[in-house]
Amino acid sequence: MTNSEIVDLLELTGRLMELHDRDTFKTRTFQTAAFNLDKSTADLGNLPVEELIKLPGVGKSVAQKIREIAETGHLTDLDELLAQTPAGVLDMFRIKGLGVKKVRTLWQELGVTNLQDLQLAGENGQIANIKGFGASTQDKILSALEFLQEQQGKVRMDKAAMMANMLYDELSAHFERVEISGQVRRKAQEVDSVQLLVQTSDPVSAMLTLTKLPNLKQNERESSPFVWRGRLTGFDVQVELLFYPSDQMNRQLFIQTAAESHLQQAGAGGVPLLQAAYASVVSEVTGKDTAEVEQAIYARAGLPYIVPEMREDDFAFRWASHHQNDELVTWEDLRGTLHNHSTWSDGKQSVAGMAAYCRELGLSYFGIADHSKTASYAGGLDAERVRQQQVEIDQINAGFGSDFKIFKGIESDILGDGSLDYDDDTLATFDYVVASVHQTLTMSLEKATTRLLRAIENPYTTILGHPTGRLLLAREGYPIDHRAVIDACAEHKVIIEINASPYRLDIDWHWIDYAMQQGVMLSINPDAHDLVGLLDMHYGVAIGRKGGLTKAMTFNALTLEEMSSYLQQRRAEIRK
């Protein structure tokens, strides 16, 4: 089993032990082990007990539990707890603001055992009457329930891509041509249907082939002779497989990829894209590749060619009136990465290890931005540890040539009043500062905007990190006045982050073009906590392109020399 799977089982065991009011010391043992092992790079599943007990937070008892998980895929203690816990109670942990104690109270005092009961109790006012809850907590629970209901049946971009690739590999073994289409191809940040096109001249045989594949479960009611609909085992999102003959594949790949509002757009001749897709001119290039067919469709409609990521609505055509497709940022354009974490705070790799991997990726600089002192839960750095880390960075940099550098950054918490959580003397030691909100996320639009504006006004703020604090499909971001925030960034020369983690993708792509219009650059930051996390910049590039981000307005597309010059000049301006 993977480390994350082992840690998840330990964490769930600790949570359920607390829920059932088991021995406090034993409960804490599981919770502490899960917290510490979440950062471990050791191969937990293959370590013997005598090696496991050498890891932080792991005693002999927990080490034996880890061996049980690794060898059996289960944990007896957890199985017993799950047998005593209604499945719906576990769902209640997904509600923002509901910790173990509150879930236990709702279960024991109101008999709430699922989300439907929870919503009913809130609508009837029962939650507000419980000691320690009140009307405010009840309202927050109802709002969180509404948000979760809106997200049902959806997956994030990364999981959708993984599913699509799994299906592609499976189907390609049985069919001559398979294409990933729909929301996945146009890089939607949330996906409610994973769609692929399957080339076949015999839909009946194709359907029979699919029924024999072990990981696919068909929804016969939703399917038709030419469309298979159902689920992929282990995923709660619709899978849609469309059957087309060879001469329809390119045409349909275009149609199925674009959103309906994009297909309705028409050029000067009044021909909508959807109509152009069926026009005879397309037939003349049917035998050619997908790109040529799609270019012919746009030409027939009298419209400029739009890349798949941008085929959402009419925005792309407004963008195209001022830009060319080759201006859009690509992975190859990125020269470095600036928001990353290491073992100095809550990362899993050392600064040196992260930097070395960046060099392997062909990047020329790595920016470390570990958590600041307020983020004690994440091992945030106080001023003394900042100094120690910067000494280490100087030592590592001394071993590099002129083609690579580690920049000294920090992810400084924006406090409730908008101030950063270091004094000016400490802030002045960094090459750059990523300012982010991590705590007290429940705010009105006015409060949240004011808080960000003050942080932006701080001369040491270089980059505004994940501006709304959202977690896709899990937590709605706090409301902000995007225009006011972007305008302030323009005034104070602050970069805005596109947090490339597929859990965030924040700032939302809809605001990228406005930021560029105001002269605000955007930085595609992975918020990486391990080596694999650095690759999340691929998602950031996809979202950047969807929003029309150009290489020229991408902060981390600057070369090492340009970035060094920019940061030095900014620090010099602060000292004036």
Side-chain angles (χ1 to χ4, degrees), residues 293-354:
V293 171
E294 294 186 333
Q295 288 166 1
I297 291 171
Y298 281 103
R300 174 71 179 83
L303 291 167
Y305 173 76
I306 301 298
V307 298
E309 298 96 319
M310 297 183 76
R311 296 174 191 171
E312 293 285 354
D313 47 33
D314 62 342
F315 158 71
F317 300 111
R318 298 196 303 273
W319 179 91
S321 66
H322 302 287
H323 299 282
Q324 300 295 320
N325 288 322
D326 60 8
E327 295 178 47
L328 288 168
V329 67
T330 67
W331 170 269
E332 290 73 23
D333 292 330
L334 303 185
R335 295 291 176 262
T337 171
L338 293 168
H339 181 176
N340 307 284
H341 300 271
S342 73
T343 49
W344 279 91
S345 64
D346 62 343
K348 296 183 179 181
Q349 299 287 339
S350 66
V351 173
M354 295 285 278

Side-chain angles (χ1 to χ4, degrees), residues 465-482:
H466 44 72
T468 73
R470 74 181 183 184
L471 293 176
L472 293 171
L473 303 182
R475 183 178 73 204
E476 196 169 13
Y478 41 81
I480 64 172
D481 183 335
H482 280 83

